[in-house]
Amino acid sequence: MANRVTIDPITRLEGHGKIEIFLKDDGSVDNVFFQVPELRGFEKFCEGRPVEEMPRITTRICGVCPEAHHAASAKACDAVYGITLPPTAAKLREFQYNAFYVGDHTTHFYALAGPDFVMGPDADPAVRNIIGVIGKVGADIGKEVIRTRLEAHEIAGMLGGKRIHSVGMIPGGMSKGLTSSEDHKRAVEICERFVEFAKFTIKIVDDIVLANKAYVDLILSDPYKLVVNDMGLVDENNHVNFYRGNVRVTDVNGKELHKYAPKDYLDVVGEHVEKWSYLKFPFLKQRGWTGFTEGTDTAVFRATPLSRLNAADGMATPLAQAEYERFYATLGGKPVHSTLATNWARVIELLFAAEAALQLIKDPDIIGEEHRVIPKNVPSEGVGIVEAPRGTLTHHYITDEKGIVQKANLIVGTTNNNGPIAMSIKKAAQGLIKAGAEITEPILNMVEMAFRAYDPCFGCATHSLPGQMPIEVILRDSTGKVLDRASRF
Amino acid sequence: MEAPKEKLKLAFYWAASCGGCEISLLEIGDKILTVVELADLVFCPCLVDTKYKDVEAMPDGYIDVAFYNGAVRSSENEHIAKLLRQKSKVLIAYGSCAMQGGIPALANLYDLKQIKHRAYHETQSTVNPDGVEPVPDCATNGYALTLPELYNTVFKLSDKVKVDFYIPGCPPARETTWNAIEQLVTGNLPEPGGVLGAGRKAVCEECPYEKKETRITEFHRPHTFIPPDNEQCLLEQGLVCLGPATRSGCGAQCLQAHMPCRGCYGPLPDIQDQGAKLVAAIGSMIGGTGEEEITGIVNQIVDPAGTLYRFSMADSFMVRRKLDG
């Protein structure tokens, strides 16, 4: 291979993620590697910690989605002690979790993926960011986005003390109830606004993306298609749920392959190791590792907003269900394998999260007194699963009889998508970077769009407020000499 | 707040961290606009597109204030720490990890070999019949690939470079961040090496619970115990709480949720070892007569290392578990 293109999309400095594209002599794409050069060792240093401290320790895996780890960890603790939560406790957790989703999905749509569609993938990079979106959609939208995030933090603080890295979810429920009528009133007010804001966001997708045939064609185009299996948490009706239920896996044709309770995750999910990335590659264990392949027999699966819609039969709330139906009607039926449709799926989930949060806060149980129970059983082993915004999140703890963690196994949201991200980038690069042609800024951005649709968390995606992760592409000859540089700053 | 004559040049960099410190900046809300009026961000991978080489090209001391968050766990983290030290007039450790190692420094209870063994060979979901392990020199099928080398020990920022000021918290609360910015802009600064934005007393001063000066007779764990008195100090009622050893400024947020403090704001002024300070505080609060009884009560505290040094392992007298060899 003669040339190498290094894309260091998040930051060239810390390297939470790095893309290496190797070119053939004619300038077409030979191979692509997506590397994660980081390992923090939570699975080891959680050994020896009291299990009840895990919801307070594992939040620090991610400051962008701490509630996901907080909730998965608390659920794993419940399982370790064999506790069934009282309705008030369960609903308080699910409420906080949905409110968190609203803040998280909003940030991604407006600040990260949205600018590509609202402004256009080949727009001047100077306006292809949230500032540009504000210019096009209206000045108030920027304030609304920040406000939505802050109000999600406000609910986290109301229930969990800390607004970031909240502490309220404990084995057996919540450390405090929602007993202040003032807090309850405020929470209802916030959730009502969340629903209106989500509806407004759907309208933006309609007016700007779906009304433009070129965008719809782009979404459905081949370089952005990846035919792999889908994973997502579903409730008792096989509707999308973020906090509770079983995990469903559907094949490339939409047929159910697995539906498993959290405790059975090891029957379904395996993790493959490559020597060139610190991050492992999950796959469907019963198929064996099939390599980075797509198609009917692949063991690769995705766990994203798109896969959650694909793996479910519908949405549990009325407005989101209507959008769900329109989504598949517009994109040619179920399942959809177009990576860029993930961004639309995320907005439908935003609407669902807002509706679900509002339903839960209006549920009479939510202000109940019984917000926690004391564990009675001898602790042993438990698994907790939630849907993190970036994929199915599994926490598995084994403790001694005193509840001290002996072993911890974590399969983090984005990790599920490690293989698919690499494959999507490769496919986009192969489809868009042509032999002999110049690699232009819009082409680079369009390669990056394949990556950005996953909202990858190790990429510190939400760190990047202006919505454009700095990208630099370096063309080198076989001796490593720099031939050319292209950047999208 | 009075604006300085010239706009301040700021830098904001993250190392081994979770992203919570960046999210904490959003917490100041509309005041972000005030900051933009007063200062230019000259280096901030999350916000502006200044490149690494641009920082290298800056004259020494060009940046007025650099904020560094996250612990130092790789050669890359250390390299940027040194670069920012050189290019900045003032270097600030922002957040628990940069200040004291934070949660990542719990890894110092183990070593890198154990961490890699657990991650790549032992975890229940790992399928690795060939015993593959990621390595820095990871050329594959002729493709020249590399990964950075990770350190065996997680360090706090001041282990590697001189730090001018600290802003505590995991992450810093919005009042702390805003107070610190005001102090920096107005020049109302403590002695070098001091803490910005936070209080000078213990978390107990902000705590909604009150001390009733009763003796601790038994320690409990938070999930197995509902404190019978919903007004009395949780520590007095037998829940380990780092409040008495921890600097105020967070608003006792955890205690507002009825959960004991875990010490993320770091030690009180003039105290070096946060955990030792708490042990001393507990010592004076324990009931019981005779050494045996007192020892019995203290031994009820589970995981003292991981609890008393939850955020300060890299800043403690022990720093890390002794390495083999």
Side-chain angles (χ1 to χ4, degrees):
Chain A
M1 85 230 79
N3 294 325
R4 162 194 289 212
V5 181
T6 301
I7 300 186
D8 202 340
I10 296 96
T11 150
R12 296 155 307 292
L13 312 174
E14 187 184 17
H16 284 285
K18 185 169 73 162
I19 300 163
E20 293 270 9
I21 302 179
F22 292 90
L23 301 182
K24 294 177 189 162
D25 288 333
D26 65 3
S28 64
V29 174
D30 174 24
N31 209 344
V32 176
F33 291 86
F34 174 60
Q35 296 179 277
V36 176
E38 189 180 76
L39 171 70
R40 282 184 295 169
F42 276 80
E43 287 165 319
K44 189 65 193 178
F45 70 65
C46 287
E47 289 176 11
R49 311 284 78 77
V51 73
E52 71 274 16
E53 297 292 327
M54 293 295 277
R56 300 185 75 169
I57 292 173
T58 56
T59 38
R60 272 65 178 201
I61 292 171
C62 179
V64 179
C65 56
E67 277 90 344
H69 290 282
H70 196 48
S73 181
K75 287 182 72 177
C77 289
D78 297 341
V80 160
Y81 282 99
I83 305 168
T84 306
L85 296 193
T88 296
K91 285 174 186 177
L92 279 168
R93 280 200 199 158
E94 193 174 346
F95 163 66
Q96 183 183 343
Y97 200 59
N98 278 289
F100 145 72
Y101 246 84
V102 173
D104 197 281
H105 272 7
T106 297
T107 309
H108 184 270
F109 177 75
Y110 284 97
L112 298 170
D116 291 324
F117 293 98
V118 177
M119 305 312 293
D122 53 359
D124 180 349
V127 300
R128 197 180 55 220
N129 53 43
I130 188 166
I131 309 298
V133 173
I134 290 168
K136 187 158 177 178
V137 181
D140 289 342
I141 192 68
K143 282 185 184 165
E144 290 290 297
V145 171
I146 290 182
R147 183 178 166 189
T148 302
R149 182 102 207 176
L150 290 181
E151 287 180 347
H153 287 179
E154 189 179 337
I155 284 173
M158 195 184 280
L159 295 171
K162 288 182 76 133
R163 295 165 58 96
I164 299 168
H165 296 321
S166 66
V167 300
M169 299 186 193
I170 56 172
M174 299 287 287
S175 62
K176 82 182 228 203
L178 185 57
T179 46
S180 147
S181 58
E182 214 169 284
D183 282 351
H184 182 254
K185 194 177 147 217
R186 173 70 185 138
V188 171
E189 196 179 283
I190 288 173
C191 293
E192 279 170 346
R193 200 192 67 79
F194 278 176
V195 174
E196 291 311 308
F197 183 68
K199 280 156 70 178
F200 171 78
T201 307
I202 292 274
K203 191 165 178 305
I204 290 182
V205 173
D206 267 356
D207 294 352
I208 296 175
V209 184
L210 300 177
N212 186 335
K213 187 175 176 299
Y215 284 171
V216 178
D217 290 346
L218 181 73
I219 289 171
L220 294 174
S221 65
D222 265 350
Y224 292 116
K225 196 170 228 175
L226 191 72
V227 182
V228 295
N229 307 290
D230 292 303
M231 175 182 282
L233 200 62
V234 293
D235 68 12
E236 57 283 3
N237 300 315
N238 284 337
H239 290 152
V240 170
N241 196 287
F242 301 138
Y243 174 75
R244 64 185 160 80
N246 291 324
V247 180
R248 197 180 196 206
V249 180
T250 51
D251 69 12
V252 299
N253 300 312
K255 188 171 149 279
E256 182 177 299
L257 274 180
H258 301 282
K259 190 168 160 186
Y260 64 92
K263 67 177 173 54
D264 299 322
Y265 81 103
L266 287 171
D267 294 342
V268 178
V269 183
E271 292 182 284
H272 171 78
V273 183
E274 291 281 354
K275 70 172 177 176
W276 45 266
S277 181
Y278 284 125
L279 195 64
K280 291 180 278 188
F281 297 87
F283 64 99
L284 299 177
K285 209 185 222 172
Q286 293 175 17
R287 290 192 168 181
W289 173 247
T290 51
F292 298 96
T293 57
E294 55 178 328
T296 315
D297 299 321
T298 183
V300 176
F301 65 89
R302 292 201 267 207
T304 64
L306 175 62
S307 29
R308 288 192 284 258
L309 265 54
N310 280 339
D313 293 343
M315 311 300 284
T317 56
L319 298 176
Q321 173 62 22
E323 292 304 315
Y324 178 94
E325 287 165 19
R326 199 161 61 98
F327 177 84
Y328 286 109
T330 308
L331 297 178
K334 231 178 126 183
V336 168
H337 295 298
S338 302
T339 304
L340 293 181
T342 308
N343 296 311
W344 186 7
R346 190 173 286 112
V347 175
I348 297 171
E349 286 196 337
L350 166 66
L351 182 57
F352 165 66
E355 287 185 282
L358 184 61
Q359 271 180 10
L360 284 156
I361 195 66
K362 288 183 164 176
D363 187 316
D365 284 340
I366 204 102
I367 52 170
E369 296 282 340
E370 204 187 356
H371 56 84
R372 64 180 287 193
V373 289
I374 298 288
K376 297 273 188 283
N377 301 332
V378 177
S380 57
E381 180 170 1
V383 179
I385 292 184
V386 298
E387 277 297 324
R390 295 150 193 87
T392 313
L393 170 61
T394 306
H395 281 219
H396 177 192
Y397 310 146
I398 296 171
T399 74
D400 65 10
E401 74 287 352
K402 291 188 170 129
I404 305 299
V405 175
Q406 306 298 301
K407 298 289 169 204
N409 190 28
L410 309 165
I411 304 178
V412 177
T414 294
T415 306
N416 294 299
N417 301 313
N418 195 12
I421 289 171
M423 292 159 71
S424 289
I425 295 165
K426 183 175 180 177
K427 218 167 163 185
Q430 283 175 333
L432 297 162
I433 298 175
K434 301 292 183 195
E438 192 194 350
I439 301 177
T440 61
E441 194 283 331
I443 286 177
L444 279 183
N445 185 51
M446 287 171 72
V447 171
E448 199 200 354
M449 280 165 66
F451 161 83
R452 198 183 291 129
Y454 292 88
D455 186 13
C457 199
F458 40 68
C460 307
T462 51
H463 288 182
S464 183
L465 289 178
Q468 53 171 23
M469 300 181 221
I471 257 195
E472 188 173 32
V473 176
I474 304 171
L475 293 170
R476 298 175 193 270
D477 66 15
S478 51
T479 64
K481 188 176 153 227
V482 177
L483 299 174
D484 194 12
R485 282 173 191 273
S487 64
R488 52 175 295 257
F489 299 145
Chain B
M1 184 156 59
E2 210 171 303
K5 287 187 194 103
E6 265 184 64
K7 273 192 156 189
L8 286 170
K9 297 186 191 71
L10 303 183
F12 207 96
Y13 177 73
W14 65 78
S17 66
C18 70
C21 282
E22 278 74 35
I23 297 290
S24 77
L25 292 179
L26 283 180
E27 282 276 285
I28 65 172
D30 292 347
K31 288 179 178 167
I32 288 174
L33 302 174
T34 313
V35 175
V36 173
E37 275 170 33
L38 298 174
D40 285 324
L41 272 177
V42 294
F43 175 58
C44 177
C46 66
L47 283 167
V48 293
D49 53 12
T50 322
K51 295 176 206 169
Y52 180 30
K53 63 181 169 52
D54 297 330
V55 179
E56 282 180 335
M58 291 172 186
D60 289 358
Y62 176 80
I63 298 166
D64 289 304
V65 187
F67 298 82
Y68 185 104
N69 78 72
V72 181
R73 67 174 307 126
S74 71
S75 53
E76 205 163 22
N77 299 152
E78 181 171 349
H79 179 72
I80 302 291
K82 288 182 170 159
L83 182 67
L84 283 177
R85 175 67 279 180
Q86 188 190 338
K87 303 296 178 185
S88 308
K89 292 191 189 76
V90 174
L91 177 65
I92 291 178
Y94 185 90
S96 304
C97 296
M99 181 165 156
Q100 299 190 282
I103 295 278
L106 288 176
N108 290 355
L109 293 168
Y110 296 95
D111 62 36
L112 189 61
K113 198 175 155 197
Q114 292 173 308
I115 285 171
K116 287 177 104 174
H117 181 76
R118 175 70 191 152
Y120 302 119
H121 304 288
E122 195 191 73
T123 31
Q124 296 94 317
S125 47
T126 297
V127 181
N128 189 6
D130 301 331
V132 175
E133 203 171 276
V135 285
D137 176 15
C138 52
T140 302
N141 300 331
Y143 298 104
L145 298 166
T146 56
L147 287 169
E149 188 128 24
L150 303 171
Y151 290 162
N152 223 338
T153 299
V154 175
F155 298 98
K156 62 186 187 293
L157 184 58
S158 65
D159 289 334
K160 297 297 176 184
V161 293
K162 179 172 155 281
V163 172
D164 296 304
F165 299 109
Y166 298 87
I167 300 178
C170 182
R174 54 184 165 171
E175 294 79 8
T176 302
T177 305
W178 184 245
N179 290 343
I181 291 171
E182 278 192 323
Q183 281 184 277
L184 285 164
V185 170
T186 58
N188 175 25
L189 296 166
E191 291 294 304
V195 166
L196 299 180
R200 291 193 53 80
K201 293 180 175 165
V203 167
C204 306
E205 300 295 321
E206 304 178 324
C207 180
Y209 296 97
E210 59 177 293
K211 286 191 176 136
K212 296 189 174 173
E213 308 300 333
T214 60
R215 296 272 161 185
I216 303 167
T217 54
E218 192 181 359
F219 278 106
H220 306 278
R221 288 163 68 177
H223 63 308
T224 57
F225 178 69
I226 297 176
D229 185 335
N230 56 21
E231 287 172 3
Q232 187 184 6
C233 167
L234 295 181
L235 183 56
E236 287 183 345
Q237 297 193 70
L239 286 174
V240 174
C241 177
L242 268 75
T246 303
R247 183 185 286 270
S248 62
C250 61
Q253 290 179 79
C254 295
L255 288 133
Q256 301 288 351
H258 308 173
M259 293 295 281
C261 172
R262 286 292 172 260
C264 76
Y265 262 57
L268 289 165
D270 307 320
I271 297 291
Q272 201 188 335
D273 190 295
Q274 200 178 358
K277 167 69 184 167
L278 189 76
V279 170
I282 286 176
S284 69
M285 295 171 73
I286 292 257
T289 52
E291 202 175 324
E292 206 176 309
E293 197 180 342
I294 291 173
T295 308
I297 294 172
V298 170
N299 283 344
Q300 292 167 351
I301 298 176
V302 290
D303 185 27
T307 307
L308 304 183
Y309 297 95
R310 176 65 54 80
F311 292 91
S312 65
M313 190 63 72
D315 194 28
S316 65
F317 291 140
M318 59 180 129
V319 177
R320 65 157 300 116
R321 169 184 166 271
K322 197 170 174 295
L323 290 169
D324 298 333

